Amino acid sequence: MTKFNKILLTGINGQVGHALYPKLSVLGEVIALDRGQLDLTNPEAIREVVQRIKPDLIINPAAYTAVDKAESEPELAHAINGIAPGVFAEEAAKLGALLVHYSTDYVFDGKKTSPYVETDETNPLSVYGASKLAGEKAIQAVGAAHLIFRTSWVYGAYGKNFLRTILRLAAERDSLNIVADQFGAPTSSDSIADATIDALQKWDHSKNGIYHLVNAGETSWHGFAQEIVTQYKKISTPTTLQPLLATPSSIIAIETKDYPTAAHRPLNSQLETIKINEIFDVELEHWQSSLEKIIKKLQK
C-alpha cells in the first residue's frame, strides 16, 4: 500500500473535501485548508503554502462550482479552476509530490450518443467547463505526477447540491418541474472520497493521468429527483425527517429548452469508467445504492 508522509488537502468546506478529510488519515498526516487559509486566486499564496508544508501528496478538490454565475465571473472561475491547478502542479513537481485534482463532465459538449472515454475530444459549452478544462491542461503541461478525476453530478449529505435542493423544494411544493433530457450519473461525494483513497493506495508513477470516476448507471435529472423523493419517503418516519409534499408522480418532466439557464449544459454527461476499473481495480457502486446511503446519513 502506498503511504504518504504529509498530505495537503484543499477545499475542506466543499462537498468532496469534506468527505475526504476524515478518511485520508489512513494514507498519512493530513493538513486540511479552507478558503480562508488558502486563497486560490493568488498564485503566490499557493506557492508559499505548498513550500511551507512540503507535502508529498496534494489533493485539490477546491473549485469554483457556480456553473451559471461563472458566465458573469469568467476571470474568477478561470483563476480558481484554470490557473491554480497549474500552480499546484508546478510546486508538486519541485517537491516530487503527487497532485490529485478533480474535473468534470462539463469539459464535453454532450453530443456523443454513448458514454465518454478519457481520450474523447473535449469541447466545453460553458465558462465553468472551459475553466475546468484549462486546469486539466495546465496540470498536464507541467508534467508532474498527477491523477485527474473527472466526475459528474456531485451531491452529498453536506453542502449545497441537487439532493438537498430537491428535498427542500419537495417539502415546500406539491409538484416540481425537472429537466428530463440531460443524462448522467449522480455521484456522491462519499463515493468519490472512497474511490480516491482506494486508487491512492495502489498508485505508482505508471498510473498517472486522467480517469473518469462516477457512480455506476445513468439517469436524467428528472429520474434522479424522482428517486430522491422515492427513497426519502421509504426511509423517513414522522419523528426523523421533514415530510415531503411532492411525490415521485408529481415531479414533472420538462426539456432543457423549458428551463433556460445562463450556462449551457451537455445533454449527455455519461462517463465511461473502464479505465479506472482496469488500472486501479476501482469500481464505484450503482448511483441508486449510493443515494440510499446518503439519504440514511441525512436521516441521522
Side-chain angles (χ1 to χ4, degrees), residues 104-127:
T104 175
D105 53 309
Y106 285 19
V107 300
F108 298 113
D109 61 17
K111 293 177 182 175
K112 190 181 178 184
T113 55
S114 57
Y116 283 93
V117 297
E118 288 81 354
T119 52
D120 279 330
E121 185 178 349
T122 52
N123 185 33
L125 302 176
S126 62
V127 167

Side-chain angles (χ1 to χ4, degrees), residues 81-82 85-86 101-105 107-108 118 122 129-142 146 148-150 210 212:
N81 294 344
H101 180 71
Y102 297 86
S103 190
T104 175
D105 53 309
V107 300
F108 298 113
E118 288 81 354
T122 52
S131 71
K132 294 298 287 183
L133 180 59
E136 291 185 9
K137 291 184 173 180
I139 291 168
Q140 291 174 307
V142 171
H146 67 274
I148 297 170
F149 293 128
R150 287 184 186 142
I210 293 179
H212 290 171

Side-chain angles (χ1 to χ4, degrees), residues 195-211:
T196 298
I197 289 163
D198 196 2
L200 283 169
Q201 289 172 327
K202 302 165 186 172
W203 173 81
D204 61 52
H205 284 276
S206 71
K207 297 181 172 73
N208 290 334
I210 293 179
Y211 294 86

Side-chain angles (χ1 to χ4, degrees), residues 34-50:
D34 62 22
R35 189 184 304 170
Q37 297 164 301
L38 177 57
D39 180 3
L40 293 182
T41 67
N42 184 343
E44 291 313 308
I46 296 171
R47 296 188 197 282
E48 187 279 323
V49 165
V50 177

